[in-house]
Amino acid sequence: MKQKTSAEPDAHSNKPVTPAPRPSGLNRLDAYRDFPAAQQPDWPDPAELHAAVRKLESKPPLVFAGEADVLTRRLAQAQAGKAFVLQGGDCAEIFADAKADRIRSKIQTVLQMAVVLTYGASLPVVKIGRMAGQYAKPRSASTETRDGVTLPVYRGDAVNEFEFTEKARRNNPWRMVEAYDHSSSTLNLIRAFTMGGFADLRHVHEWNQGFRENPAYSRYNAVATQIDKAIKFMEACGADFDALKRVEFFSSHEALLLDYERALTRSDSRSGGAVAYDCSAHFLWIGDRSSKPEGAHAELLSNVRNPLGVKVGPKAHVTDVMRLIEKLNPLHEPGRLTLITRMGADAVRVLLPGLVRAVRAANQPVLWVCDPMHGNTFTTPSGVKTRRFDTIINEVKGFFEVLRYEGEVPGGLHVELTGDDVTEVMGGSEDIDDEALSRRYETLVDPRLNHQQALEMAFQVAELLGQ
Ligand code: PEP
Ligand code: CO
């Protein structure tokens, strides 16, 4: 597991670590208001929105600029093939689940996966949660109709409530303030868990042993045994396990709600206020539905210095993606930009090569990360939104094949997962079928890998990484 050494910058240090000059962007922070903004809620009352935004502006930052800079450096390492990125968490966090046990099991799952991937890749794994801010969702329609009643669509807990009543579905800007508060307490717990001994490599390995004892997972025994031996070897060599108790864990979410992201964008005191960071999370990404190069999301994020992601779906045009890349990373800085491809298991093999070549031709340093979830969603005959475990793995394989063939680095994995035993994704060793889906289907938006499926994925990707 990647540890801080004295040669590396401290995440809390006050010194700017990305010295490359970039147009400050500070005087353009409000320019996005003149650009078309996809996927924004219709806030019913401008005065109410104004008051909620003022409140958000008065809140302290959730993350520090120096931490975002450290992540940029980690992502630059991944781009160079010297680290692997694991980004995971719920499709949509919900306020009711911002509780210690749920947060703990999610972190635990990501840490367990990270140990397996670290072994497979023989590289440090950069851990990023889709956590502490993933409260807003893009939707395919702005309303939903049930039994002749039409109401605003559910856009995530930061906007309205899932329950299908007029009161619950009203878009309420004060929920953005609530989202901030839940993000803050979640982040506090993440920091406590990852700094306070919970992430001890030996504990994490012990949890994985439990997984291994289940005969359904015997195919993973070889890797688990090897990790076991590696840890015993480290112990025998006198490795400093105390130093391995702390792990870096970064936060991320889709930067969807412009009012929220703008209110948490702050000028960086270290630079004398000359540059800005979106202090709602370390890493922000632009979703597939709001990724127009001339759109408001691209404009706002082009003016902050956080590391950024862009989702690239099967319908994206290479020329648009290239314009977006140029806009977000005009100085071609390593670590600044991650392309998160989510094309679908078949399309990835067809579409990704062209994009990879265009990016290379433009000499743009991007980190390639695979989201094998969003291109593989379907609805069962009984009306349940799901994904198949095998198809998910197949997209990851296609992603690795293409990047390796093109001589580029498959740099990471972006997954929707939970630490609980939900039944939302079909397949896996427990072979969840159509019928079993209804046993514990809890997600309000997209289906997530459960704890066991997430670990299985880690073992399978570890095999790919080791090849
Ligand atoms: C998501 O990540 O939950 C999502 C909506 O993804 P995309 O923008 O790729 O569709
Ligand atoms: Co999703």
Side-chain angles (χ1 to χ4, degrees):
M1 189 135 319
K2 178 68 183 172
Q3 284 310 307
K4 215 166 46 195
T5 67
S6 53
E8 288 169 343
D10 189 291
H12 303 281
S13 128
N14 249 354
K15 287 200 214 87
V17 290
T18 320
R22 190 191 290 164
S24 94
L26 213 57
N27 54 3
R28 287 196 58 85
L29 283 180
D30 285 301
Y32 77 92
R33 298 181 196 277
D34 295 328
F35 289 65
Q39 294 286 339
Q40 300 307 289
D42 259 329
W43 301 114
D45 178 354
E48 189 188 27
L49 172 63
H50 188 258
V53 165
R54 286 290 95 82
K55 186 73 184 173
L56 279 173
E57 286 169 351
S58 74
K59 299 271 192 184
L62 288 172
V63 303
F64 298 112
E67 297 173 319
D69 287 345
V70 170
L71 179 56
T72 300
R73 290 167 70 104
R74 301 283 179 259
L75 298 176
Q77 285 163 350
Q79 216 165 283
K82 294 183 181 143
F84 189 76
V85 173
L86 173 62
Q87 186 173 23
D90 292 304
C91 178
E93 288 181 288
I94 55 175
F95 295 168
D97 278 354
K99 299 224 163 61
D101 55 342
R102 293 278 176 133
I103 296 166
R104 189 202 310 115
S105 60
K106 229 176 299 171
I107 297 172
Q108 182 172 338
T109 305
V110 173
L111 294 176
Q112 285 183 267
M113 289 178 80
V115 167
V116 175
L117 291 171
T118 303
Y119 183 81
S122 300
L123 290 174
V125 170
V126 182
K127 295 164 278 295
I128 310 175
R130 272 179 73 115
M131 290 176 80
Q134 179 56 18
Y135 286 112
K137 298 308 299 174
R139 304 313 306 262
S140 45
S142 56
T143 57
E144 182 184 349
T145 302
R146 288 190 202 171
D147 301 326
V149 180
T150 299
L151 294 175
V153 73
Y154 171 65
R155 287 187 180 275
D157 274 12
V159 178
N160 55 4
E161 283 175 71
F162 185 72
E163 197 195 342
F164 196 74
T165 64
E166 204 172 323
K167 182 163 174 283
R169 285 294 173 93
R170 179 179 183 276
N171 295 337
N172 175 0
W174 288 105
R175 295 184 71 90
M176 289 193 287
V177 179
E178 252 186 283
Y180 169 93
D181 290 338
H182 286 300
S183 300
S184 167
S185 53
T186 301
L187 206 48
N188 185 44
L189 215 54
I190 290 176
R191 291 187 194 278
F193 279 135
T194 55
M195 293 292 154
F198 180 75
D200 186 317
L201 176 61
R202 289 162 299 184
H203 290 322
V204 179
H205 179 60
E206 253 164 48
W207 303 331
N208 280 355
Q209 299 286 47
F211 171 84
R212 183 184 165 190
E213 276 151 22
N214 183 335
Y217 306 109
S218 55
R219 66 170 282 198
Y220 306 115
N221 259 342
V223 175
T225 303
Q226 285 161 12
I227 296 176
D228 207 23
K229 277 193 174 159
I231 289 181
K232 290 206 172 98
F233 177 73
M234 284 166 71
E235 253 165 353
C237 295
D240 180 3
F241 280 97
D242 274 342
L244 293 174
K245 279 184 178 167
R246 293 163 154 246
V247 297
E248 285 180 346
F249 198 106
F250 299 96
S251 68
S252 74
H253 61 261
E254 176 176 349
L256 183 72
L257 297 176
L258 295 162
D259 295 307
Y260 182 81
E261 303 304 338
R262 173 64 186 95
L264 286 166
T265 295
R266 307 292 162 80
S267 63
D268 176 18
S269 56
R270 302 170 310 166
S271 65
V275 293
Y277 286 76
D278 182 344
C279 297
S280 69
H282 299 111
F283 180 94
L284 285 314
W285 77 84
I286 302 182
D288 189 45
R289 291 181 177 87
S290 52
S291 63
K292 288 249 177 312
E294 61 286 351
H297 293 84
E299 173 58 31
L300 177 61
L301 291 187
S302 71
N303 297 309
V304 300
R305 293 186 67 128
N306 306 60
L308 303 174
V310 170
K311 291 284 201 93
V312 185
K315 293 194 186 127
H317 294 290
V318 172
T319 47
D320 282 346
V321 180
M322 294 315 299
R323 293 220 315 278
L324 185 60
I325 294 175
E326 251 340 289
K327 175 155 183 115
L328 296 176
N329 194 14
L331 298 180
H332 296 207
E333 289 172 63
R336 160 73 166 173
L337 193 62
T338 299
L339 291 189
I340 308 167
T341 63
R342 32 85 85 222
M343 296 175 165
D346 295 329
V348 69
R349 293 173 170 90
V350 180
L351 301 174
L352 187 54
L355 183 61
V356 171
R357 286 173 205 163
V359 168
R360 189 169 46 224
N363 206 14
Q364 264 290 0
V366 307
L367 170 66
W368 295 99
V369 165
C370 176
D371 164 1
M373 315 297 291
H374 288 89
N376 299 310
T377 316
F378 68 98
T379 304
T380 65
S382 49
V384 185
K385 201 175 176 189
T386 188
R387 295 159 174 157
R388 281 184 212 284
F389 184 79
D390 285 349
T391 318
I392 291 170
I393 295 292
N394 191 13
E395 177 154 356
V396 182
K397 286 187 175 151
F399 172 85
F400 270 77
E401 278 161 32
V402 170
L403 285 162
R404 284 181 171 160
Y405 182 80
E406 295 294 335
E408 303 291 338
V409 177
L413 202 57
H414 177 116
V415 282
E416 288 183 342
L417 56 80
T418 159
D420 304 310
D421 295 328
V422 300
T423 54
E424 298 171 2
V425 168
M426 292 171 85
S429 292
E430 288 173 332
D431 205 14
I432 295 169
D433 60 12
D434 199 348
E435 215 165 279
L437 281 179
S438 60
R439 224 169 39 218
R440 191 173 166 193
Y441 191 96
E442 294 180 0
T443 182
L444 299 186
V445 190
D446 288 336
R448 303 159 295 178
L449 298 172
N450 64 25
H451 176 76
Q452 303 286 25
Q453 289 170 329
L455 266 188
E456 279 196 75
M457 168 176 250
F459 276 104
Q460 295 206 20
V461 176
E463 282 171 18
L464 283 175
L465 281 164
Q467 273 165 19

